[in-house]
Amino acid sequence: MKAAFLSEFLTARNVLSQSAVIYVVVAAVLGISMQSVVALVAAISAMTPFLMLFTFCAYDSMNGWERFRATLPISRCELVVSRYANVLLSSVVMFLLGWALACLISGMAPLLPLEEGMRASLSSEFDPGLLAIAGLMGLSLMTAVVALFLPFALRYGLTKAMRVVPVVMVMLIPVSIALLKQFPSGADVLVRIGGWLDANLVAGGVAFAAAALVVYAASCCVAVSVYRRKEL
């Protein structure tokens, strides 16, 4: 498993290190222009899962890397699990980086050469706990979305996955609306859930992250099953 993880990581470490530098610039511009470090950490946390998904899948189709990797003394199960582990670990690292940058910008806002109203807006959000929950929510949401992509991307390649998965996700919108019309009480339940989340932000963030991890683990199991049957 260690060999599989490292073989995946080594293909993307340059992208990850470059992204860390880019994120510093993006964090400064995004946080200051929007006058919100909460939006900053949420946006940065949400960026990484898709970035790593596209990076790994793009390398699969370059120079026959996917076929060469399959010849290594590594099982297909280990290859899939290492892919999921790398995407998740990279996303968590960037989430922590975004959180640290948000805390730094917010904490140092009174010292920055900005307008008084902008400094006040940034410094008012200096709450490490709130920033962590904002980043965790963004990370969890996009991790769940990536979990829908990965089995298709591993089985059919990124190009076909990009054709199928977005269509399925778009079709879920009218299906969800139709289901809500069939069950009028469903809207009330959603409103109550929203009110509970407002009153229990930390518990809601943790529960959302836990649900995303469950979806991610289930996706990994599905991907292992379909990748074993793939012709390379």
Side-chain angles (χ1 to χ4, degrees):
M1 181 63 194
K2 180 180 178 181
F5 180 86
L6 290 176
S7 69
E8 286 280 302
F9 175 76
L10 290 175
T11 62
R13 63 178 179 178
N14 289 335
V15 173
L16 196 60
S17 59
Q18 292 168 7
S19 299
V21 176
I22 294 172
Y23 279 12
V24 174
V25 178
V26 170
V29 174
L30 187 63
I32 293 174
S33 62
M34 296 182 66
Q35 301 183 32
S36 174
V37 289
V38 171
L40 178 160
V41 68
I44 286 182
S45 300
M47 288 167 58
T48 311
F50 260 109
L51 171 67
M52 301 313 296
L53 166 68
F54 292 135
T55 299
F56 286 123
C57 291
Y59 275 113
D60 281 347
S61 58
M62 289 176 58
N63 302 320
W65 166 245
E66 186 177 23
R67 292 184 178 181
F68 172 76
R69 187 182 58 195
T71 64
L72 299 176
I74 301 171
S75 70
R76 292 198 178 188
C77 176
E78 290 176 331
L79 290 174
V80 173
V81 173
S82 67
R83 170 68 52 86
Y84 275 77
N86 268 287
V87 171
L88 182 60
L89 181 60
S90 301
S91 301
V92 170
V93 169
M94 289 302 184
F95 152 66
L96 294 175
L97 175 62
W99 173 80
L101 289 171
C103 291
L104 180 64
I105 292 175
S106 183
M108 295 184 63
L111 305 177
L112 298 177
L114 303 172
E115 297 180 358
E116 183 178 351
M118 189 175 293
R119 291 200 302 266
S121 178
L122 292 172
S123 60
S124 66
E125 294 181 346
F126 184 63
D127 184 343
L130 175 63
L131 294 176
I133 291 299
L136 186 63
M137 294 289 281
L139 172 63
S140 300
L141 176 61
M142 298 314 296
T143 298
V145 175
V146 166
L148 299 177
F149 266 90
L150 270 171
F152 288 95
L154 287 168
R155 179 63 179 84
Y156 300 107
L158 183 61
T159 303
K160 290 184 179 180
M162 288 297 294
R163 296 173 186 167
V164 176
V165 177
V167 174
V168 174
M169 294 178 66
V170 169
M171 291 302 297
L172 287 176
I173 297 175
V175 171
S176 301
I177 295 175
L179 288 176
L180 285 176
K181 290 181 178 179
Q182 295 296 323
F183 302 95
S185 60
D188 295 334
V189 172
L190 292 178
V191 171
R192 292 176 184 176
I193 292 175
W196 182 85
L197 288 175
D198 289 337
N200 303 273
L201 190 59
V202 175
V206 173
F208 192 66
L213 285 176
V214 170
V215 172
Y216 199 70
S219 172
C220 183
C221 294
V222 173
V224 168
S225 177
V226 298
Y227 195 69
R228 282 174 175 167
R229 299 192 295 270
K230 182 176 181 178
E231 295 289 339
L232 295 173

